[in-house]
Amino acid sequence: MQKMKLPKKILIAYVRFPPIAFELKEAFEAMGIEVSIFLASEVPVSFVHKKVFRRLTKWAWSLRLVKKGVGLFLDHPLRWENVAGDRLYQAYQDFQPDLVLFIQEPTYGNRGNKVLHKITAPKIGWNVEAYEEIERLKESCQFFDAYNLLADSRMKCNFE
């Protein structure tokens, strides 16, 4: 059996405060792999996103102008998800990893998919909690080389 070649550099991308990301970093570094962590939770939410985008979206939902769950201003550069996606790509360019490991949230909003297209290193997604938005996940998984999911055992998933 052929021995698997380990990456020399891994970028770990995580949305929320992640104790697991720091533990993984320690484990990978013990194996001699250089690791950088990108925490989207450290990206500040702009005043415009908080006070304008969110409020207008909630009003549009309550007035039934758009279906609940549909976001407004998806491509605006000040939308938090877009800022986080841009910063993720900058972290990727600065670090130049051999592998990107995404934990939890598969993408960073609408522009996040564009960022995932630009990342040429292999991308692995790993969802460590039960995930029920299977349709959203199906859309996001197409950008990954591999994706591991902990799904509710009652759910039937058929990825093609």
Side-chain angles (χ1 to χ4, degrees):
M1 180 180 241
Q2 187 178 11
K3 189 174 180 179
M4 188 174 111
K5 183 180 175 189
L6 293 175
K8 293 182 184 190
K9 294 169 80 174
I10 296 176
L11 174 64
I12 298 174
Y14 203 175
V15 174
R16 287 178 259 176
F17 178 73
I20 193 170
F22 294 105
E23 292 168 2
L24 286 170
K25 180 178 181 345
E26 286 180 28
F28 285 133
E29 287 176 342
M31 297 169 58
I33 299 170
E34 188 178 349
V35 177
S36 179
I37 297 177
F38 171 79
L39 298 176
S41 58
E42 291 181 354
V43 175
V45 179
S46 73
F47 175 83
V48 173
H49 180 88
K50 198 182 309 183
K51 299 295 182 190
V52 178
F53 298 164
R54 280 188 190 166
R55 286 184 180 176
L56 288 177
T57 300
K58 286 181 181 181
W59 286 341
W61 291 347
S62 66
L63 295 172
R64 294 191 173 118
L65 298 173
V66 294
K67 186 178 173 185
K68 190 159 186 145
V70 173
L72 301 177
F73 312 102
L74 295 178
D75 284 322
H76 196 285
L78 293 178
R79 184 177 166 90
W80 179 85
E81 292 88 345
N82 297 334
V83 173
D86 292 343
R87 291 200 182 172
L88 167 64
Y89 187 66
Q90 186 62 51
Y92 167 76
Q93 285 185 310
D94 292 345
F95 190 60
Q96 292 293 308
D98 302 317
L99 174 74
V100 182
L101 174 61
F102 290 82
I103 302 173
Q104 285 307 98
E105 185 66 27
T107 63
Y108 296 93
N110 197 39
R111 284 181 31 183
N113 293 342
K114 295 174 187 169
V115 169
L116 291 174
H117 270 302
K118 291 196 275 186
I119 294 175
T120 57
K123 296 174 284 296
I124 296 175
W126 180 28
N127 206 315
V128 295
E129 295 176 357
Y131 196 83
E132 296 181 5
E133 296 180 46
I134 296 300
E135 289 306 313
R136 181 176 172 198
L137 186 63
K138 283 181 182 179
E139 292 174 17
S140 301
C141 283
Q142 65 182 324
F143 303 107
F144 292 88
D145 298 289
Y147 201 92
N148 186 28
L149 169 68
L150 172 64
D152 187 323
S153 61
R154 296 167 291 178
M155 297 177 65
K156 301 289 183 214
C157 304
N158 184 18
F159 291 104
E160 296 176 12

